[in-house]
Amino acid sequence: MAGLLGAASLPIQSGLVASDAVAAELRLWAQTRFAWGTSDCLISIVRYVCRVLDKPMPEWPRYSTGAGALRILERHGGLERYAAGVLGALDCTVTRWPMRGDVGLIDIPGTGPTMSLCLGEKWAARAQHGAMIMALQPEMAWAVGL
């Protein structure tokens, strides 16, 4: 898959330092495998937000497959609504102008709605290893307040 990038091949924006939360998150994604219920797109984004805001991880439903995740999301009104509830409880606010370090929901062609991390002009979404980097407009975005 051409969109998969490991940390070593990630184009780094000027001004980025090693302690940067976004760079650290992308390194973490490169070092860990995507897994439903432990390191999928939503859990990865919520863990990132909790780390940078120094907040505890909220209670999380248990699932281990994509179908299990979909069942939970359907019970809560879909990914956008569920993410909005979780991120709102973490004091993230909806924004129309996401900045680097904010989070959002992008619609990846062929994949569908996916939680992602704003890199500035592009978005990073969790992949099997590393991240898919795409220039897409978010369907919804939340300011993390870095």
Side-chain angles (χ1 to χ4, degrees):
M1 194 181 264
L4 295 178
L5 297 176
S9 64
L10 183 67
I12 303 297
Q13 299 174 346
S14 64
L16 189 64
V17 295
S19 62
D20 184 284
V22 172
E25 190 66 19
L26 294 174
R27 277 192 305 277
L28 177 65
W29 291 2
Q31 296 167 358
T32 58
R33 192 164 186 72
F34 179 101
W36 291 107
T38 58
S39 59
D40 56 57
C41 69
L42 180 56
I43 289 176
S44 295
I45 290 298
V46 172
R47 282 199 176 121
Y48 159 79
V49 169
C50 290
R51 272 193 297 278
V52 299
L53 297 180
D54 196 26
K55 295 191 178 230
M57 183 72 179
E59 291 288 324
W60 208 258
R62 295 188 191 280
Y63 56 93
S64 59
T65 65
L70 283 175
R71 278 191 300 275
I72 289 166
L73 293 174
E74 287 171 359
R75 276 188 254 144
H76 291 91
L79 178 56
E80 183 177 323
R81 190 170 182 176
Y82 190 69
V86 172
L87 294 169
L90 293 170
D91 298 324
C92 295
T93 57
V94 172
T95 181
R96 291 180 55 193
W97 299 278
M99 297 172 45
R100 190 172 186 288
D102 289 341
V103 298
L105 178 65
I106 58 174
D107 191 6
I108 300 174
T111 299
T114 304
M115 292 302 297
S116 57
L117 178 59
C118 183
L119 304 178
E121 294 180 15
K122 296 183 179 181
W123 290 83
R126 190 72 208 245
Q128 286 297 333
H129 280 291
M132 294 183 287
I133 311 296
M134 293 153 286
L136 296 172
Q137 292 299 314
E139 302 288 320
M140 176 76 82
W142 293 266
V144 175
L146 292 176

